[in-house]
C-alpha cells in the first residue's frame, strides 16, 4: 500500500509474542536498549538465480505513522497485559532508523537486505509487519520478473485479483509492476499506484446474449475505444474469430478500430497462429492477440518458442500466488544489543546468524556488469578486498582493484522517511536496469549460476569468535 491512508494498519498488525516480549522488556526497563536487526532470506524462490526486492516504500509509509489506536489499547486489556505497559504503548511510535537496499534491486540469500536500528521494543514490534510486507512483495516481484525475462517486449497484463490470497492481491499488483508487468485489471491498484488499468470481457457477456455476434457488436458499440473480444466461448476458429472479424470490419466503417481478440483455452500456439492468419487475411494487422489461461513463465516461454504470435499475455493465478512457492523465507534476526554483537547458534553453519551492524558491497567486473558477488562487511568497513565463503571455512575470493558499490543506504531516521517516493514505473525501470547488469547465467531457469555471498575477514572473525564462545564444550 503506497498510501497508508488506504490501509489503516495499526501496531496490533503483529504477532502476540512481540507485544508479550515488549511487556517484559518494559517491566525490566530493557525496552530502551539499543537493538539492531537484519532482514534477509535464506533461499531463492522458484529455484531461480536472483530475487527482486519489493515492498520497501509501503513498509516505510506504514512505519512512519504506526501507533496503537484507542480501540487497540482497549482490546489489549483483554490480553491480560499490565495497565502501565498499555499506558506506555499509547505513546508508541517507531523512531528507529532503517538502512536498505533500493526497492527493485536484485537481492540474494544470506546477505542483509535491510538493517533496522531502534530500541528493543520498537524493533521487535515492527518485525511481523516488515516480514509480512516485504516477503510477499519480494516473492511476487521475483515471479513477475521471470515472466518479463521470457516475454521480451511483449505486453504483460496482471489478471490475478480473483485468484489472490484475499487482500494480498492488492500488494501482488504493486509487486507485479515492479517485476515488469505493464498493466493490471485491478482498478483500485491501478489508480493507487499510477499504473495502466487494462481489461477485455468475460464469457458471461457472450453467454448473456446467447448469440456471439450480437454480443460482440454490442460491446463494440458500447466501448469502441477499448474493445477486445473474447473469442473462445463457443468455437474459437469457426465462430469467435470470424465474428470478431465481422465486427472489426463494421467498426472500420465507423472509423473505429478493434483493439484485439482474447484466446482463453485450447492450444494457444495453434490458435494464435490460425487467428493471426485469419485477421491478416482480412487486413486486420492492427488487431492484437491476447492470451490467457493458467499462464506462467514456462508456458509463456514455450508459446514464444513455438512462434505463437501473441501480443499480450494475461496472467493471474501463478503470478499473484507465487506458484509454486508459497512464501519467501525472509527472516528478521537480532545482531546487536546493549553494545554487544549477538549471534544465534545452530547445528547447521548455514543457520548461524551474522553478528553486528553490517554493510553489503556489490562487486562489478571490468565491463561495468555485476561480477556475481555481494560481500558482507562490518558497517564501518569501506570496501571488501577478500571475501570468505560464509559456510566453507577454506574458500575465499579476492576482489582487489574491482569496483564496489555499498548497497545498504539509510532510508529512515528517527522514524521519518528520508527517501523520495518514486512512481512504481520508475522502480520497475530501475529493476530492469539492475537485471541488465546481471550476467545471463544467473537468470536462466535451469540450474542458474550461484551468485556468491561472502564475509569480510573482520566479520568472519567476529562470527567465529562468538560462535566458539557460545559453543558447548
Ligand atoms: N501450445 C501450448 N504450449 C504449451 N502450453 C500450452 C499451449 N497451449 C496452452 N497451453 C497451456 O496448457 C494448459 C492447458 O490447460 P487445459 O488443457 O486445462 O486448458 P483448456 O484447453 O483451456 O481446457 P479448459 O477448456 O478446461 O480450460 C494451460 O496452462 C495453457 O496455458
Ligand atoms: O488463468 P489465470 O492465469 O488465473 O488468469 C485469469 C483467468 O481468469 C479468468 O477466467 P475466469 O474463468 O475466472 O473468468 P472468465 O469468464 O472471464 O474467463 C480469465 O479468463 C483467465 O482465464
Ligand atoms: O480483462 C480480462 O480479460 C480479465 C480480467 C481478470 C481476469 N481475467 C481476465
Amino acid at each position: 500500500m503506497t498510501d497508508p491512508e488506504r490501509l489503516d494498519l495499526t501496531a496490533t498488525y503483529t504477532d502476540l509474542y512481540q507485544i508479550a516480549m515488549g511487556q517484559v522488556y518494559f517491566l525490566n526497563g530493557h525496552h530502551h536498549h539499543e537493538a539492531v536487526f537484519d532482514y534477509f532470506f535464506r533461499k531463492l524462490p522458484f529455484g531461480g538465480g536472483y530475487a527482486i526486492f519489493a515492498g520497501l516504500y509501503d513498509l516505510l509509509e506504514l512505519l512512519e505513522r504506526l501507533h496503537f489506536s484507542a480501540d487497540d489499547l482497549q482490546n489489549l486489556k483483554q490480553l491480560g497485559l499490565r495497565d502501565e505497559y498499555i499506558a506506555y504503548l499509547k505513546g508508541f511510535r517507531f523512531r528507529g532508523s532503517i538502512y536498505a537496499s533500493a526497492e527493485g534491486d536484485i537481492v540474494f540469500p544470506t546477505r542483509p537486505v535491510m538493517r533496522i536500528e531502534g530500541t528493543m521494543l520498537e524493533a521487535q514490534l515492527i518485525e511481523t509487519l516488515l516480514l509480512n510486507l516485504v516477503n510477499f512483495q519480494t516473492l511476487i516481484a521475483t515471479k513477475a520478473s521471470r515472466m518479463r525475462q521470457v516475454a521480451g517486449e511483449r505486453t504483460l497484463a496482471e489478471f490475478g485479483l480473483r485468484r489472490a490470497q484475499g487482500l494480498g492481491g492488492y500488494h501482488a499488483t504493486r509487486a507485479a509492476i515492479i517485476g515488469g508487468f505493464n498493466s493490471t485489471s485491478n482498478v483500485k491498484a491501478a489508480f493507487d499506484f499510477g499504473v495502466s488499468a487494462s481489461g477485455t470481457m468475460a464469457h458471461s457477456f457472450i453467454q448473456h446474449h446467447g448469440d456471439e455476434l450480437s454480443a460482440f457488436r454490442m460491446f463494440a458499440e458500447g466501448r469502441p475505444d477499448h474493445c477486445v473480444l473474447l473469442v473462445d466461448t463457443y468455437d474459437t476458429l469457426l465462430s469467435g474469430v470470424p465474428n470478431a472479424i465481422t465486427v472489426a470490419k463494421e467498426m472500420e466503417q465507423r472509423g473505429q478500430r478493434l483493439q484485439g481478440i482474447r484466446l482463453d483455452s485450447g492450444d494457444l500456439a495453434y490458435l494464435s497462429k490460425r487467428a493471426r492468419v485469419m485477421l491478416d487475411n482480412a487486413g486486420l494487422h492492427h488487431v492484437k492477440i491476447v492470451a490467457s489461461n493458467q499462464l506462467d513463465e514456462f508456458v509463456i516461454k514455450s508459446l514464444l518458442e513455438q512462434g505463437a504470435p501473441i501480443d499480450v499475455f494475461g496472467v493471474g493465478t501463478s503470478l499473484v500466488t507465487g506458484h509454486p512457492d508459497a512464501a519467501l523465507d525472509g527472516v528478521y534476526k537480532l545482531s546487536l544489543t546493549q553494545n554487544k554483537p549477538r549471534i544465534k547458534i545452530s547445528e547447521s553453519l548455514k543457520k548461524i546468524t551474522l553478528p553486528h551492524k553490517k554493510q553489503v558491497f556489490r562487486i562489478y567486473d571490468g565491463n561495468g556488469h555485476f561480477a556475481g558477488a555481494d560481500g558482507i562487511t562490518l558497517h564501518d568497513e569501506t570496501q571488501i578486498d577478500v571475501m570468505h565463503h560464509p559456510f566453507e571455512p577454506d574458500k575465499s575470493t579476492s576482489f582487489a582493484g574491482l569496483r564496489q558499490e555499498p548497497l545498504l543506504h539509510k532510508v529512515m531516521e528517527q522514524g521519518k522517511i528520508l527517501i523520495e517516493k518514486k512512481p512504481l514505473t520508475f522502480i520497475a525501470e530501475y529493476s530492469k536496469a539492475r537485471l541488465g547488469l546481471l550476467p545471463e547465467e544467473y537468470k536462466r531457469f535451469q540450474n542458474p549460476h550461484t551468485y556468491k555471498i561472502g564475509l569480510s575477514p573482520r566479520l568472519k572473525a567476529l562470527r567465529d569468535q562468538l560462535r566458539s564462545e557460545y559453543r558447548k564444550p
Side-chain angles (χ1 to χ4, degrees):
M1 193 90 29
T2 52
D3 182 346
E5 292 288 344
R6 299 189 175 102
L7 179 69
D8 209 6
L9 291 184
T10 62
T12 49
Y13 192 75
T14 188
D15 296 304
L16 174 59
Y17 78 161
Q18 315 285 15
I19 298 176
M21 286 187 283
Q23 169 161 302
V24 182
Y25 286 137
F26 174 77
L27 294 176
N28 291 284
H30 292 182
H31 54 300
H32 288 307
H33 286 173
E34 175 197 17
V36 179
F37 281 83
D38 293 319
Y39 167 71
F40 62 97
F41 57 89
R42 294 197 170 100
K43 188 168 164 285
L44 284 164
F46 317 120
Y50 67 89
I52 302 287
F53 177 43
L56 175 66
Y57 213 87
D58 285 342
L59 172 72
L60 297 179
E61 286 195 314
L62 282 164
L63 288 182
E64 205 169 46
R65 62 196 312 247
L66 198 69
H67 67 284
F68 289 92
S69 69
D71 281 351
D72 287 337
L73 295 166
Q74 198 58 37
N75 290 334
L76 286 178
K77 292 191 177 161
Q78 299 165 19
L79 298 177
L81 295 162
R82 297 280 186 88
D83 288 346
E84 59 269 40
Y85 176 51
I86 295 176
Y88 180 80
L89 291 182
K90 192 172 174 193
F92 168 79
R93 286 286 185 281
F94 179 75
R95 297 196 207 283
S97 296
I98 297 186
Y99 296 76
S101 280
E103 189 160 15
D105 199 2
I106 48 175
V107 289
F108 300 92
T110 308
R111 49 144 286 203
V113 176
M114 281 192 264
R115 184 173 97 219
I116 294 83
E117 300 184 2
T119 65
M120 201 63 221
L121 179 75
E122 66 191 358
Q124 199 69 70
L125 284 179
I126 69 161
E127 169 180 353
T128 307
L129 170 69
L130 179 150
L131 293 175
N132 175 265
L133 289 173
V134 171
N135 279 334
F136 181 64
Q137 288 198 40
T138 300
L139 180 78
I140 304 306
T142 306
K143 184 75 175 173
S145 151
R146 289 163 64 82
M147 297 188 198
R148 173 48 69 204
Q149 291 291 321
V150 293
E153 294 302 309
R154 289 173 186 78
T155 301
L156 290 173
E158 184 264 309
F159 280 176
L161 187 57
R162 66 189 55 204
R163 312 271 189 251
Q165 269 85 347
L167 299 182
Y170 184 81
H171 280 159
T173 302
R174 184 179 186 276
I177 300 292
I178 290 176
F181 269 59
N182 302 93
S183 67
T184 177
S185 62
N186 179 340
V187 181
K188 180 172 171 55
F191 288 154
D192 289 357
F193 303 141
V195 298
S196 305
S198 67
T200 72
M201 57 163 47
H203 294 104
S204 56
F205 188 83
I206 293 133
Q207 292 169 279
H208 166 78
H209 291 83
D211 160 32
E212 189 179 59
L213 184 58
S214 307
F216 284 1
R217 280 193 174 123
M218 192 169 282
F219 200 86
E221 279 161 26
R223 193 164 161 76
D225 296 335
H226 300 89
C227 185
V228 179
L229 301 172
L230 176 59
V231 293
D232 75 332
T233 307
Y234 302 125
D235 189 309
T236 300
L237 297 179
L238 291 180
S239 160
V241 178
N243 283 334
I245 289 172
T246 303
V247 170
K249 289 289 175 191
E250 291 168 2
M251 290 177 80
E252 274 184 350
Q253 302 292 313
R254 301 195 291 272
Q256 298 162 345
R257 281 191 147 196
L258 176 65
Q259 206 174 45
I261 60 166
R262 175 160 75 99
L263 305 170
D264 189 44
S265 57
D267 184 325
L268 296 172
Y270 171 76
L271 292 173
S272 61
K273 286 179 196 171
R274 293 297 307 275
R276 186 74 268 159
V277 170
M278 291 161 78
L279 291 166
D280 288 349
N281 287 344
L284 296 167
H285 306 281
H286 61 275
V287 174
K288 299 225 175 337
I289 298 184
V290 182
S292 53
N293 188 21
Q294 295 295 309
L295 300 177
D296 62 16
E297 64 271 46
F298 300 104
V299 177
I300 295 173
K301 184 167 186 284
S302 164
L303 290 170
L304 293 175
E305 281 166 2
Q306 294 167 63
I310 295 168
D311 304 289
V312 182
F313 294 96
V315 190
T317 313
S318 82
L319 170 65
V320 301
T321 63
H323 184 79
D325 283 0
L328 182 77
D329 69 352
V331 294
Y332 187 79
K333 296 291 171 194
L334 184 71
S335 62
L336 185 140
T337 185
Q338 294 172 274
N339 272 325
K340 282 202 200 115
R342 304 287 165 152
I343 193 167
K344 184 192 165 294
I345 299 291
S346 163
E347 285 296 310
S348 144
L349 194 55
K350 283 194 172 172
K351 285 211 158 180
I352 293 176
T353 62
L354 296 173
H356 215 299
K357 289 185 194 177
K358 295 175 290 293
Q359 176 57 281
V360 183
F361 289 91
R362 179 153 296 165
I363 316 297
Y364 285 72
D365 67 15
N367 302 317
H369 291 104
F370 296 152
D374 283 359
I376 315 171
T377 66
L378 292 174
H379 71 115
D380 56 354
E381 296 185 75
T382 53
Q383 61 179 46
I384 179 163
D385 293 332
V386 175
M387 165 173 117
H388 293 279
H389 192 288
F391 319 123
E392 294 182 36
D394 300 333
K395 282 194 184 166
S396 65
T397 316
S398 162
F399 301 126
L402 291 180
R403 188 181 141 209
Q404 311 191 355
E405 176 192 17
L407 297 178
L408 300 183
H409 296 285
K410 202 184 235 187
V411 294
M412 175 164 262
E413 185 170 283
Q414 294 189 353
K416 294 278 167 248
I417 300 175
L418 298 179
I419 54 172
E420 215 183 303
K421 183 170 184 168
K422 309 236 175 55
L424 269 198
T425 44
F426 179 96
I427 301 175
E429 277 303 314
Y430 171 75
S431 194
K432 184 178 167 188
R434 298 294 277 184
L435 262 177
L437 297 178
L438 184 69
E440 289 306 313
E441 52 270 26
Y442 298 93
K443 298 184 214 169
R444 66 175 177 242
F445 295 162
Q446 293 280 317
N447 303 318
H449 241 53
T450 303
Y451 193 95
K452 290 193 176 68
I453 299 295
L455 315 181
S456 71
R458 276 180 62 201
L459 176 58
K460 179 177 181 298
L462 179 64
R463 182 200 59 182
D464 293 347
Q465 178 208 324
L466 289 177
R467 189 174 168 225
S468 56
E469 279 174 23
Y470 279 97
R471 246 193 191 155
K472 292 185 199 88

